[in-house]
Amino acid sequence: MIGWRGYLQVGVGSGLGALSRALVGQAAILALGSAFIWATLAVNVLGSWLIAVVASRAAYRPHGISARWYPLVAVGFCGGFTTFSMFGLEVIYLLSTEQTLYAIVYVFSSVVLWLAAAWLGQLSGRPTKP
Amino acid sequence: MDVNALWWVAIAAGGGMGGMARLFVSELCATLLGKNFPWGTLVVNILGSCAVGMLAVRLHWPLSNTPLAVLLITGVLGGFTTVSSFSLQTLALRDEGHAGWALLNGVLTLVLGVAAAGIGWFMAGGGR
């Protein structure tokens, strides 16, 4: 069971994660004219990569920085940075505007990229010399 | 879109509250349903998607970016739901030799999560 310190770490991390996600959204608006889909895909792929790096490092060094700050960085920041609800909403929006093919492509490419990013993160979080 | 200080405060505060609520639901699910399957992540993503579907209609997303819409949709529900834990836990299931469970987690998350967003959206009067 996680105590109040864990909740505090997760709360602060998640707040910073949400703020960073909004910054990515603003950057996408500046660069592409809209935050739709690309910003969500970017945060979800980056967040999946980062959580796997931190989890992998924490697993190899149970008393290292990654392990101690796991609630802040992984559960908090990565959790707040990524968003499933916006992904779901975007899929519904595409379906409701009869862009069914885009919706299907978005769903399948998203899940493949999320998992590929996490897999790469797992690899890069491993120590290079055993 | 009008972006000001209140907007950022709403996102950070909402994201923090959403993240803590996610932790609470995850712990509760782990206690009630066990730790062999990431029930907590599945449950937050279904609940959060349903809520966001409803709020999107009520708050006129994506046309409006009022502080309330930003607080609840970008902040609270964005922080409550998560893709990073889903990805990590799905890979972990596969690494532990439960490829079938990993596949089930992927299918359940995508199908139920997107369906929940659609159900919330329809219940709030979307598409009418």
Side-chain angles (χ1 to χ4, degrees):
Chain A
M1 260 309 173
I2 196 160
W4 69 269
R5 280 173 208 275
Y7 272 91
L8 192 66
Q9 276 199 41
V10 171
V12 170
S14 187
L16 290 174
L19 208 55
S20 307
R21 170 160 42 81
L23 283 172
V24 171
Q26 288 300 305
I29 289 170
L30 286 177
L32 308 168
S34 163
F36 192 68
I37 289 186
W38 297 110
T40 307
L41 189 60
V43 295
N44 286 340
V45 168
L46 279 174
S48 294
W49 174 80
L50 183 61
I51 200 171
V53 171
V54 177
S56 178
R57 288 175 61 96
Y60 284 100
R61 290 165 173 256
H63 302 288
I65 294 173
S66 295
R68 262 182 291 151
W69 295 97
Y70 191 81
L72 180 90
V73 181
V75 187
F77 184 86
C78 292
F81 187 59
T82 59
T83 175
F84 186 86
S85 53
M86 192 48 72
F87 163 78
L89 189 56
E90 287 166 347
V91 174
I92 294 304
Y93 183 82
L94 287 174
L95 290 174
S96 74
T97 50
E98 292 174 3
Q99 302 179 75
T100 312
L101 184 64
Y102 280 120
I104 293 168
V105 170
Y106 183 43
V107 168
F108 283 99
S109 53
S110 288
V111 73
V112 167
L113 291 172
W114 301 344
L115 294 173
W119 181 72
L120 283 176
Q122 250 183 356
L123 293 183
S124 56
R126 277 177 197 163
T128 43
K129 288 171 194 156
Chain B
M1 162 168 34
D2 181 33
V3 177
N4 55 36
L6 182 63
W7 207 81
W8 298 107
V9 172
I11 290 171
M17 287 188 286
M20 288 191 283
R22 167 163 44 82
L23 177 60
F24 178 76
V25 172
S26 298
E27 297 258 288
L28 190 67
C29 287
T31 306
L32 295 176
L33 302 166
K35 292 183 174 178
N36 294 327
F37 191 79
W39 296 109
T41 304
L42 182 63
V43 169
V44 294
N45 284 340
I46 291 171
L47 290 178
S49 295
C50 185
V52 97
M54 287 173 140
L55 284 173
V57 177
R58 294 265 182 252
L59 301 174
H60 309 291
W61 178 91
L63 301 172
S64 159
N65 264 300
T66 59
L68 183 67
V70 166
L71 172 77
L72 296 177
I73 294 176
T74 312
V76 176
L77 294 171
F80 184 60
T81 60
T82 179
V83 163
S84 55
S85 292
F86 161 79
S87 303
L88 185 68
Q89 289 158 344
T90 305
L91 278 194
L93 283 173
R94 191 209 60 166
D95 290 345
E96 289 157 10
H98 307 295
W101 288 107
L103 184 66
L104 183 71
N105 189 40
V107 172
L108 285 179
T109 299
L110 292 177
V111 172
L112 298 180
V114 172
I119 288 166
W121 192 77
F122 271 111
M123 285 199 311
R128 256 184 263 147

